[in-house]
Amino acid sequence: MISLKEDKEKKYIEELKKKILRLKKIRNAVIIVHNYQRDEIQDIADISGDSLALSQAAVRTDAKVIAFCGVHFMAESASILNPDKTVLLPVIEAGCPMADMITPEKLYAKKLEYPDAAVVCYVNSSAEIKAESDICCTSSNAIEIVKSLKNKRIIFVPDRNLARYVQSQIPEKEIIPWNGFCPTHIRLQEEEVTLAKRLYPEAEFIAHPECQPDVLSLADHICSTGGMFTYVKKSLKKEFIIGTESGMLYKLKKENPQKRFYLPTAHLICPSMKLTTLGWVAHALEYMINEIKVSDEIRKKAKRSLDKMLEISGEKKWMAVSGY
Ligand code: SF4
């Protein structure tokens, strides 16, 4: 039986969703939502998926306003690729701690240390870092991007775990990892995965490359969040242990009702991703606040790094691997 409190909350949520729909029409807006967002935010998405896949989708929309439900670097990428559109980040404080683990000054010093190295920058980084890099990559195309470069030496920023994973797949290159990490993914411990495997012996363990190397060594498959949707759909298995942020389970369950999904730990929650609520989305659209803008100088340089990645990966192929 639904309690009075639950009933009121349900009605409040429905009212907010209606308000957002109304505002969307008035503003000619599109709502794009990252896979790690709250369930109710995923419900109002016009488009949901990986960070850069979302930005690419935003390029194709006719909408004038993009309400980006994710974290700062994602809205920034959307703005870099769509300078004529208004990109709103409903909660301006929603940053990514990993993206903050590198500064342009420190990267510049590293480049002086290794003048022969190319800089490959994971999209989970600020516009300034993208502008200082030779090329961007995502977790789904990082191996392909690094392989495509002539340089033997690669400075890989800012995620050391993705860098190590790439190194394990391309031993002929020398990858110099930046010492950044995702505070959410590194919470996942080897023992927790081992225990989950014991509890669900029929399940496949799928891990995001931002996890630590000992966790990745236990994975049946390593891929991006977009890759997880594709993999699960194709797999003949019925059970999966998911090694990434908890928000993934909502859409995985929705798209695969006949399959079962388990999180190896309750700690796989990114606090920044959960800051966005329906109330904040409505607020941003109503008052048109929290616009994300990148200076023209930085934008042009950062776009070059993003464009180079897309040239190599090919947009169509890239969209397929990212699961968009
Ligand atoms: S999950 Fe990790 S990488 Fe993604 S936004 Fe959160 S802290 Fe950043």
Side-chain angles (χ1 to χ4, degrees):
M1 210 173 85
I2 300 176
S3 69
L4 191 63
K5 191 175 165 238
E6 281 171 336
D7 191 42
K8 269 190 179 170
E9 270 174 16
K10 228 176 140 189
K11 279 188 185 144
Y12 177 63
I13 285 174
E14 287 317 309
E15 281 309 309
L16 273 177
K17 283 183 180 171
K18 276 187 208 155
K19 184 175 179 181
I20 291 168
L21 263 179
R22 243 183 358 255
L23 288 165
K24 233 174 59 169
K25 277 193 195 131
I26 296 169
R27 302 291 186 209
N28 188 4
V30 65
I31 298 179
I32 60 181
V33 173
H34 189 267
N35 291 325
Y36 294 162
Q37 289 283 296
R38 291 166 183 265
D39 301 354
E40 63 273 22
I41 298 292
Q42 297 198 34
D43 282 341
I44 57 159
D46 293 307
I47 303 152
S48 63
D50 281 18
S51 55
L52 200 58
L54 295 178
S55 300
Q56 283 297 310
V59 176
R60 282 182 288 274
T61 178
D62 292 334
K64 293 270 176 283
V65 174
I66 297 167
F68 206 115
C69 302
V71 292
H72 196 273
F73 74 80
M74 296 174 180
E76 227 178 30
S77 291
S79 180
I80 290 166
L81 294 165
N82 305 283
D84 300 333
K85 290 175 183 151
T86 304
V87 180
L88 306 177
L89 183 67
V91 181
I92 205 74
E93 295 82 12
C96 167
M98 175 162 74
D100 294 339
M101 288 176 189
I102 182 167
T103 62
E105 295 74 26
K106 285 184 182 163
L107 176 55
Y108 191 66
K110 188 63 97 183
K111 281 163 73 168
L112 288 180
E113 217 181 301
Y114 299 99
D116 59 328
V119 179
V120 176
C121 152
Y122 188 24
V123 286
N124 299 28
S125 54
S126 68
E128 284 83 1
I129 297 301
K130 288 183 177 87
E132 275 298 322
S133 301
D134 293 297
I135 189 164
C136 287
C137 74
T138 68
S139 51
S140 51
N141 64 15
I143 293 166
E144 183 186 17
I145 295 296
V146 170
K147 271 187 181 167
S148 76
L149 299 170
K150 286 198 185 94
N151 311 55
K152 193 175 174 326
R153 231 181 218 165
I154 308 289
I155 300 170
F156 194 103
V157 303
D159 185 14
R160 68 179 185 219
N161 290 322
L162 182 59
R164 284 174 189 153
Y165 172 62
V166 171
Q167 177 73 86
S168 73
Q169 302 300 304
I170 317 176
E172 64 276 18
K173 299 256 185 195
E174 185 194 350
I175 310 280
I176 298 147
W178 196 264
N179 197 20
F181 56 87
C182 164
T184 300
H185 284 88
I186 67 151
R187 273 187 225 133
L188 180 55
Q189 299 297 305
E190 187 190 355
E191 308 81 65
E192 291 169 320
V193 177
T194 307
L195 183 64
K197 284 182 149 213
R198 222 176 288 148
L199 283 173
Y200 309 109
E202 293 304 316
E204 274 190 300
F205 173 49
I206 312 175
H208 193 280
E210 285 175 23
C211 294
Q212 307 206 69
D214 53 355
V215 167
L216 292 182
S217 70
L218 298 173
D220 296 297
H221 189 62
I222 298 167
C223 60
S224 65
T225 56
M228 288 184 188
F229 289 107
T230 316
Y231 185 80
V232 163
K233 219 165 253 175
K234 281 190 188 154
S235 173
L236 296 175
K237 289 274 185 178
K238 293 271 177 268
E239 292 179 78
F240 302 88
I241 301 163
I242 302 297
T244 193
E245 214 274 347
S246 60
M248 277 293 289
L249 262 68
Y250 184 64
K251 201 164 131 194
L252 279 171
K253 285 179 183 169
K254 216 170 162 182
E255 288 189 359
N256 306 276
Q258 74 290 7
K259 300 192 175 184
R260 286 178 183 274
F261 301 94
Y262 313 107
L263 276 180
T265 168
H267 305 306
L268 280 168
I269 296 171
C270 171
S272 302
M273 282 284 181
K274 304 304 188 216
L275 286 175
T276 310
T277 60
L278 290 174
W280 286 122
V281 178
H283 189 71
L285 283 171
E286 187 165 9
Y287 298 103
M288 293 298 286
I289 51 161
N290 298 346
E291 183 177 355
I292 301 299
K293 272 269 170 228
V294 179
S295 77
D296 235 31
E297 193 195 340
I298 300 286
R299 192 188 72 77
K300 279 180 190 153
K301 286 190 197 166
K303 188 169 183 297
R304 211 178 302 146
S305 297
L306 286 166
D307 285 345
K308 272 194 207 161
M309 172 186 81
L310 293 171
E311 259 169 48
I312 288 170
S313 223
E315 192 180 336
K316 272 196 182 143
K317 188 174 162 202
W318 176 76
M319 281 168 73
V321 291
S322 68
Y324 169 68

mmCIF file with all atom_site columns, all heavy atoms in Angstrom, residues 209-229:
data_model
loop_
_atom_site.group_PDB
_atom_site.id
_atom_site.type_symbol
_atom_site.label_atom_id
_atom_site.label_alt_id
_atom_site.label_comp_id
_atom_site.label_asym_id
_atom_site.label_entity_id
_atom_site.label_seq_id
_atom_site.pdbx_PDB_ins_code
_atom_site.Cartn_x
_atom_site.Cartn_y
_atom_site.Cartn_z
_atom_site.occupancy
_atom_site.B_iso_or_equiv
_atom_site.pdbx_formal_charge
_atom_site.auth_seq_id
_atom_site.auth_comp_id
_atom_site.auth_asym_id
_atom_site.auth_atom_id
_atom_site.pdbx_PDB_model_num
ATOM 1   N N   . PRO A 1 209 ? 36.820 0.514   -17.816 1.00 0.00 ? 209 PRO A N   1
ATOM 2   C CA  . PRO A 1 209 ? 38.282 0.618   -17.690 1.00 0.00 ? 209 PRO A CA  1
ATOM 3   C C   . PRO A 1 209 ? 38.774 1.646   -16.670 1.00 0.00 ? 209 PRO A C   1
ATOM 4   O O   . PRO A 1 209 ? 39.980 1.707   -16.404 1.00 0.00 ? 209 PRO A O   1
ATOM 5   C CB  . PRO A 1 209 ? 38.754 0.965   -19.108 1.00 0.00 ? 209 PRO A CB  1
ATOM 6   C CG  . PRO A 1 209 ? 37.550 1.407   -19.839 1.00 0.00 ? 209 PRO A CG  1
ATOM 7   C CD  . PRO A 1 209 ? 36.361 0.782   -19.184 1.00 0.00 ? 209 PRO A CD  1
ATOM 8   N N   . GLU A 1 210 ? 37.875 2.436   -16.081 1.00 0.00 ? 210 GLU A N   1
ATOM 9   C CA  . GLU A 1 210 ? 38.302 3.339   -15.002 1.00 0.00 ? 210 GLU A CA  1
ATOM 10  C C   . GLU A 1 210 ? 38.527 2.580   -13.692 1.00 0.00 ? 210 GLU A C   1
ATOM 11  O O   . GLU A 1 210 ? 39.010 3.141   -12.710 1.00 0.00 ? 210 GLU A O   1
ATOM 12  C CB  . GLU A 1 210 ? 37.251 4.443   -14.782 1.00 0.00 ? 210 GLU A CB  1
ATOM 13  C CG  . GLU A 1 210 ? 37.275 5.514   -15.851 1.00 0.00 ? 210 GLU A CG  1
ATOM 14  C CD  . GLU A 1 210 ? 36.149 6.532   -15.690 1.00 0.00 ? 210 GLU A CD  1
ATOM 15  O OE1 . GLU A 1 210 ? 35.627 6.700   -14.581 1.00 0.00 ? 210 GLU A OE1 1
ATOM 16  O OE2 . GLU A 1 210 ? 35.783 7.160   -16.701 1.00 0.00 ? 210 GLU A OE2 1
ATOM 17  N N   . CYS A 1 211 ? 38.145 1.278   -13.652 1.00 0.00 ? 211 CYS A N   1
ATOM 18  C CA  . CYS A 1 211 ? 38.388 0.467   -12.445 1.00 0.00 ? 211 CYS A CA  1
ATOM 19  C C   . CYS A 1 211 ? 39.883 0.163   -12.311 1.00 0.00 ? 211 CYS A C   1
ATOM 20  O O   . CYS A 1 211 ? 40.635 0.240   -13.285 1.00 0.00 ? 211 CYS A O   1
ATOM 21  C CB  . CYS A 1 211 ? 37.618 -0.846  -12.518 1.00 0.00 ? 211 CYS A CB  1
ATOM 22  S SG  . CYS A 1 211 ? 35.843 -0.664  -12.475 1.00 0.00 ? 211 CYS A SG  1
ATOM 23  N N   . GLN A 1 212 ? 40.271 -0.250  -11.109 1.00 0.00 ? 212 GLN A N   1
ATOM 24  C CA  . GLN A 1 212 ? 41.685 -0.536  -10.858 1.00 0.00 ? 212 GLN A CA  1
ATOM 25  C C   . GLN A 1 212 ? 42.131 -1.820  -11.582 1.00 0.00 ? 212 GLN A C   1
ATOM 26  O O   . GLN A 1 212 ? 41.304 -2.708  -11.821 1.00 0.00 ? 212 GLN A O   1
ATOM 27  C CB  . GLN A 1 212 ? 41.910 -0.685  -9.361  1.00 0.00 ? 212 GLN A CB  1
ATOM 28  C CG  . GLN A 1 212 ? 41.387 0.517   -8.598  1.00 0.00 ? 212 GLN A CG  1
ATOM 29  C CD  . GLN A 1 212 ? 42.110 0.705   -7.311  1.00 0.00 ? 212 GLN A CD  1
ATOM 30  O OE1 . GLN A 1 212 ? 43.279 1.058   -7.293  1.00 0.00 ? 212 GLN A OE1 1
ATOM 31  N NE2 . GLN A 1 212 ? 41.413 0.474   -6.220  1.00 0.00 ? 212 GLN A NE2 1
ATOM 32  N N   . PRO A 1 213 ? 43.446 -1.932  -11.876 1.00 0.00 ? 213 PRO A N   1
ATOM 33  C CA  . PRO A 1 213 ? 43.919 -3.091  -12.644 1.00 0.00 ? 213 PRO A CA  1
ATOM 34  C C   . PRO A 1 213 ? 43.562 -4.451  -12.030 1.00 0.00 ? 213 PRO A C   1
ATOM 35  O O   . PRO A 1 213 ? 43.228 -5.382  -12.762 1.00 0.00 ? 213 PRO A O   1
ATOM 36  C CB  . PRO A 1 213 ? 45.450 -2.895  -12.685 1.00 0.00 ? 213 PRO A CB  1
ATOM 37  C CG  . PRO A 1 213 ? 45.647 -1.431  -12.490 1.00 0.00 ? 213 PRO A CG  1
ATOM 38  C CD  . PRO A 1 213 ? 44.529 -0.954  -11.634 1.00 0.00 ? 213 PRO A CD  1
ATOM 39  N N   . ASP A 1 214 ? 43.616 -4.588  -10.675 1.00 0.00 ? 214 ASP A N   1
ATOM 40  C CA  . ASP A 1 214 ? 43.300 -5.899  -10.096 1.00 0.00 ? 214 ASP A CA  1
ATOM 41  C C   . ASP A 1 214 ? 41.823 -6.250  -10.305 1.00 0.00 ? 214 ASP A C   1
ATOM 42  O O   . ASP A 1 214 ? 41.480 -7.433  -10.449 1.00 0.00 ? 214 ASP A O   1
ATOM 43  C CB  . ASP A 1 214 ? 43.696 -5.968  -8.603  1.00 0.00 ? 214 ASP A CB  1
ATOM 44  C CG  . ASP A 1 214 ? 43.108 -4.830  -7.776  1.00 0.00 ? 214 ASP A CG  1
ATOM 45  O OD1 . ASP A 1 214 ? 42.468 -3.930  -8.356  1.00 0.00 ? 214 ASP A OD1 1
ATOM 46  O OD2 . ASP A 1 214 ? 43.278 -4.852  -6.545  1.00 0.00 ? 214 ASP A OD2 1
ATOM 47  N N   . VAL A 1 215 ? 40.967 -5.249  -10.349 1.00 0.00 ? 215 VAL A N   1
ATOM 48  C CA  . VAL A 1 215 ? 39.539 -5.481  -10.622 1.00 0.00 ? 215 VAL A CA  1
ATOM 49  C C   . VAL A 1 215 ? 39.378 -5.859  -12.097 1.00 0.00 ? 215 VAL A C   1
ATOM 50  O O   . VAL A 1 215 ? 38.666 -6.812  -12.441 1.00 0.00 ? 215 VAL A O   1
ATOM 51  C CB  . VAL A 1 215 ? 38.707 -4.226  -10.262 1.00 0.00 ? 215 VAL A CB  1
ATOM 52  C CG1 . VAL A 1 215 ? 37.299 -4.312  -10.812 1.00 0.00 ? 215 VAL A CG1 1
ATOM 53  C CG2 . VAL A 1 215 ? 38.671 -4.038  -8.746  1.00 0.00 ? 215 VAL A CG2 1
ATOM 54  N N   . LEU A 1 216 ? 40.072 -5.121  -12.961 1.00 0.00 ? 216 LEU A N   1
ATOM 55  C CA  . LEU A 1 216 ? 39.962 -5.402  -14.404 1.00 0.00 ? 216 LEU A CA  1
ATOM 56  C C   . LEU A 1 216 ? 40.448 -6.810  -14.744 1.00 0.00 ? 216 LEU A C   1
ATOM 57  O O   . LEU A 1 216 ? 39.941 -7.445  -15.666 1.00 0.00 ? 216 LEU A O   1
ATOM 58  C CB  . LEU A 1 216 ? 40.746 -4.360  -15.219 1.00 0.00 ? 216 LEU A CB  1
ATOM 59  C CG  . LEU A 1 216 ? 40.192 -2.929  -15.211 1.00 0.00 ? 216 LEU A CG  1
ATOM 60  C CD1 . LEU A 1 216 ? 41.036 -2.012  -16.090 1.00 0.00 ? 216 LEU A CD1 1
ATOM 61  C CD2 . LEU A 1 216 ? 38.726 -2.876  -15.664 1.00 0.00 ? 216 LEU A CD2 1
ATOM 62  N N   . SER A 1 217 ? 41.428 -7.292  -13.949 1.00 0.00 ? 217 SER A N   1
ATOM 63  C CA  . SER A 1 217 ? 41.956 -8.636  -14.240 1.00 0.00 ? 217 SER A CA  1
ATOM 64  C C   . SER A 1 217 ? 40.891 -9.719  -13.999 1.00 0.00 ? 217 SER A C   1
ATOM 65  O O   . SER A 1 217 ? 41.021 -10.833 -14.485 1.00 0.00 ? 217 SER A O   1
ATOM 66  C CB  . SER A 1 217 ? 43.206 -8.914  -13.396 1.00 0.00 ? 217 SER A CB  1
ATOM 67  O OG  . SER A 1 217 ? 42.815 -9.052  -12.040 1.00 0.00 ? 217 SER A OG  1
ATOM 68  N N   . LEU A 1 218 ? 39.827 -9.384  -13.282 1.00 0.00 ? 218 LEU A N   1
ATOM 69  C CA  . LEU A 1 218 ? 38.762 -10.361 -13.012 1.00 0.00 ? 218 LEU A CA  1
ATOM 70  C C   . LEU A 1 218 ? 37.618 -10.262 -14.032 1.00 0.00 ? 218 LEU A C   1
ATOM 71  O O   . LEU A 1 218 ? 36.673 -11.053 -13.993 1.00 0.00 ? 218 LEU A O   1
ATOM 72  C CB  . LEU A 1 218 ? 38.176 -10.128 -11.611 1.00 0.00 ? 218 LEU A CB  1
ATOM 73  C CG  . LEU A 1 218 ? 39.132 -10.287 -10.428 1.00 0.00 ? 218 LEU A CG  1
ATOM 74  C CD1 . LEU A 1 218 ? 38.451 -9.866  -9.134  1.00 0.00 ? 218 LEU A CD1 1
ATOM 75  C CD2 . LEU A 1 218 ? 39.598 -11.736 -10.328 1.00 0.00 ? 218 LEU A CD2 1
ATOM 76  N N   . ALA A 1 219 ? 37.703 -9.283  -14.928 1.00 0.00 ? 219 ALA A N   1
ATOM 77  C CA  . ALA A 1 219 ? 36.574 -9.018  -15.823 1.00 0.00 ? 219 ALA A CA  1
ATOM 78  C C   . ALA A 1 219 ? 36.490 -10.005 -16.980 1.00 0.00 ? 219 ALA A C   1
ATOM 79  O O   . ALA A 1 219 ? 37.500 -10.422 -17.547 1.00 0.00 ? 219 ALA A O   1
ATOM 80  C CB  . ALA A 1 219 ? 36.686 -7.598  -16.368 1.00 0.00 ? 219 ALA A CB  1
ATOM 81  N N   . ASP A 1 220 ? 35.242 -10.363 -17.334 1.00 0.00 ? 220 ASP A N   1
ATOM 82  C CA  . ASP A 1 220 ? 35.021 -11.159 -18.545 1.00 0.00 ? 220 ASP A CA  1
ATOM 83  C C   . ASP A 1 220 ? 35.030 -10.247 -19.759 1.00 0.00 ? 220 ASP A C   1
ATOM 84  O O   . ASP A 1 220 ? 35.334 -10.664 -20.868 1.00 0.00 ? 220 ASP A O   1
ATOM 85  C CB  . ASP A 1 220 ? 33.653 -11.865 -18.468 1.00 0.00 ? 220 ASP A CB  1
ATOM 86  C CG  . ASP A 1 220 ? 33.612 -12.854 -17.318 1.00 0.00 ? 220 ASP A CG  1
ATOM 87  O OD1 . ASP A 1 220 ? 34.394 -13.810 -17.354 1.00 0.00 ? 220 ASP A OD1 1
ATOM 88  O OD2 . ASP A 1 220 ? 32.827 -12.644 -16.367 1.00 0.00 ? 220 ASP A OD2 1
ATOM 89  N N   . HIS A 1 221 ? 34.665 -8.994  -19.523 1.00 0.00 ? 221 HIS A N   1
ATOM 90  C CA  . HIS A 1 221 ? 34.640 -8.043  -20.619 1.00 0.00 ? 221 HIS A CA  1
ATOM 91  C C   . HIS A 1 221 ? 34.882 -6.645  -20.060 1.00 0.00 ? 221 HIS A C   1
ATOM 92  O O   . HIS A 1 221 ? 34.329 -6.294  -19.013 1.00 0.00 ? 221 HIS A O   1
ATOM 93  C CB  . HIS A 1 221 ? 33.278 -8.107  -21.329 1.00 0.00 ? 221 HIS A CB  1
ATOM 94  C CG  . HIS A 1 221 ? 33.231 -7.323  -22.589 1.00 0.00 ? 221 HIS A CG  1
ATOM 95  N ND1 . HIS A 1 221 ? 34.032 -7.603  -23.686 1.00 0.00 ? 221 HIS A ND1 1
ATOM 96  C CD2 . HIS A 1 221 ? 32.484 -6.236  -22.943 1.00 0.00 ? 221 HIS A CD2 1
ATOM 97  C CE1 . HIS A 1 221 ? 33.778 -6.733  -24.643 1.00 0.00 ? 221 HIS A CE1 1
ATOM 98  N NE2 . HIS A 1 221 ? 32.847 -5.894  -24.217 1.00 0.00 ? 221 HIS A NE2 1
ATOM 99  N N   . ILE A 1 222 ? 35.702 -5.854  -20.759 1.00 0.00 ? 222 ILE A N   1
ATOM 100 C CA  . ILE A 1 222 ? 36.004 -4.486  -20.315 1.00 0.00 ? 222 ILE A CA  1
ATOM 101 C C   . ILE A 1 222 ? 35.505 -3.535  -21.400 1.00 0.00 ? 222 ILE A C   1
ATOM 102 O O   . ILE A 1 222 ? 35.880 -3.684  -22.577 1.00 0.00 ? 222 ILE A O   1
ATOM 103 C CB  . ILE A 1 222 ? 37.526 -4.307  -20.099 1.00 0.00 ? 222 ILE A CB  1
ATOM 104 C CG1 . ILE A 1 222 ? 38.017 -5.263  -19.002 1.00 0.00 ? 222 ILE A CG1 1
ATOM 105 C CG2 . ILE A 1 222 ? 37.879 -2.864  -19.756 1.00 0.00 ? 222 ILE A CG2 1
ATOM 106 C CD1 . ILE A 1 222 ? 39.523 -5.413  -18.919 1.00 0.00 ? 222 ILE A CD1 1
ATOM 107 N N   . CYS A 1 223 ? 34.678 -2.579  -21.021 1.00 0.00 ? 223 CYS A N   1
ATOM 108 C CA  . CYS A 1 223 ? 34.158 -1.654  -22.039 1.00 0.00 ? 223 CYS A CA  1
ATOM 109 C C   . CYS A 1 223 ? 33.561 -0.399  -21.410 1.00 0.00 ? 223 CYS A C   1
ATOM 110 O O   . CYS A 1 223 ? 33.417 -0.312  -20.196 1.00 0.00 ? 223 CYS A O   1
ATOM 111 C CB  . CYS A 1 223 ? 33.115 -2.344  -22.912 1.00 0.00 ? 223 CYS A CB  1
ATOM 112 S SG  . CYS A 1 223 ? 31.706 -2.955  -21.993 1.00 0.00 ? 223 CYS A SG  1
ATOM 113 N N   . SER A 1 224 ? 33.207 0.540   -22.268 1.00 0.00 ? 224 SER A N   1
ATOM 114 C CA  . SER A 1 224 ? 32.577 1.792   -21.835 1.00 0.00 ? 224 SER A CA  1
ATOM 115 C C   . SER A 1 224 ? 31.129 1.514   -21.438 1.00 0.00 ? 224 SER A C   1
ATOM 116 O O   . SER A 1 224 ? 30.610 0.408   -21.673 1.00 0.00 ? 224 SER A O   1
ATOM 117 C CB  . SER A 1 224 ? 32.595 2.781   -22.995 1.00 0.00 ? 224 SER A CB  1
ATOM 118 O OG  . SER A 1 224 ? 31.784 2.278   -24.038 1.00 0.00 ? 224 SER A OG  1
ATOM 119 N N   . THR A 1 225 ? 30.446 2.523   -20.907 1.00 0.00 ? 225 THR A N   1
ATOM 120 C CA  . THR A 1 225 ? 29.035 2.318   -20.529 1.00 0.00 ? 225 THR A CA  1
ATOM 121 C C   . THR A 1 225 ? 28.190 2.009   -21.767 1.00 0.00 ? 225 THR A C   1
ATOM 122 O O   . THR A 1 225 ? 27.338 1.126   -21.728 1.00 0.00 ? 225 THR A O   1
ATOM 123 C CB  . THR A 1 225 ? 28.464 3.557   -19.800 1.00 0.00 ? 225 THR A CB  1
ATOM 124 O OG1 . THR A 1 225 ? 28.620 4.700   -20.618 1.00 0.00 ? 225 THR A OG1 1
ATOM 125 C CG2 . THR A 1 225 ? 29.142 3.771   -18.471 1.00 0.00 ? 225 THR A CG2 1
ATOM 126 N N   . GLY A 1 226 ? 28.470 2.732   -22.850 1.00 0.00 ? 226 GLY A N   1
ATOM 127 C CA  . GLY A 1 226 ? 27.731 2.455   -24.086 1.00 0.00 ? 226 GLY A CA  1
ATOM 128 C C   . GLY A 1 226 ? 27.983 1.029   -24.558 1.00 0.00 ? 226 GLY A C   1
ATOM 129 O O   . GLY A 1 226 ? 27.070 0.328   -24.989 1.00 0.00 ? 226 GLY A O   1
ATOM 130 N N   . GLY A 1 227 ? 29.248 0.610   -24.448 1.00 0.00 ? 227 GLY A N   1
ATOM 131 C CA  . GLY A 1 227 ? 29.632 -0.751  -24.844 1.00 0.00 ? 227 GLY A CA  1
ATOM 132 C C   . GLY A 1 227 ? 28.903 -1.805  -24.015 1.00 0.00 ? 227 GLY A C   1
ATOM 133 O O   . GLY A 1 227 ? 28.624 -2.904  -24.498 1.00 0.00 ? 227 GLY A O   1
ATOM 134 N N   . MET A 1 228 ? 28.607 -1.463  -22.767 1.00 0.00 ? 228 MET A N   1
ATOM 135 C CA  . MET A 1 228 ? 27.914 -2.423  -21.896 1.00 0.00 ? 228 MET A CA  1
ATOM 136 C C   . MET A 1 228 ? 26.522 -2.755  -22.430 1.00 0.00 ? 228 MET A C   1
ATOM 137 O O   . MET A 1 228 ? 26.090 -3.900  -22.399 1.00 0.00 ? 228 MET A O   1
ATOM 138 C CB  . MET A 1 228 ? 27.816 -1.886  -20.466 1.00 0.00 ? 228 MET A CB  1
ATOM 139 C CG  . MET A 1 228 ? 29.155 -1.899  -19.752 1.00 0.00 ? 228 MET A CG  1
ATOM 140 S SD  . MET A 1 228 ? 29.030 -1.391  -18.039 1.00 0.00 ? 228 MET A SD  1
ATOM 141 C CE  . MET A 1 228 ? 30.784 -1.298  -17.625 1.00 0.00 ? 228 MET A CE  1
ATOM 142 N N   . PHE A 1 229 ? 25.818 -1.731  -22.909 1.00 0.00 ? 229 PHE A N   1
ATOM 143 C CA  . PHE A 1 229 ? 24.468 -1.976  -23.448 1.00 0.00 ? 229 PHE A CA  1
ATOM 144 C C   . PHE A 1 229 ? 24.533 -2.923  -24.647 1.00 0.00 ? 229 PHE A C   1
ATOM 145 O O   . PHE A 1 229 ? 23.746 -3.857  -24.753 1.00 0.00 ? 229 PHE A O   1
ATOM 146 C CB  . PHE A 1 229 ? 23.805 -0.655  -23.870 1.00 0.00 ? 229 PHE A CB  1
ATOM 147 C CG  . PHE A 1 229 ? 23.417 0.199   -22.696 1.00 0.00 ? 229 PHE A CG  1
ATOM 148 C CD1 . PHE A 1 229 ? 24.109 1.347   -22.381 1.00 0.00 ? 229 PHE A CD1 1
ATOM 149 C CD2 . PHE A 1 229 ? 22.361 -0.180  -21.878 1.00 0.00 ? 229 PHE A CD2 1
ATOM 150 C CE1 . PHE A 1 229 ? 23.765 2.120   -21.296 1.00 0.00 ? 229 PHE A CE1 1
ATOM 151 C CE2 . PHE A 1 229 ? 21.996 0.589   -20.781 1.00 0.00 ? 229 PHE A CE2 1
ATOM 152 C CZ  . PHE A 1 229 ? 22.706 1.742   -20.489 1.00 0.00 ? 229 PHE A CZ  1
#
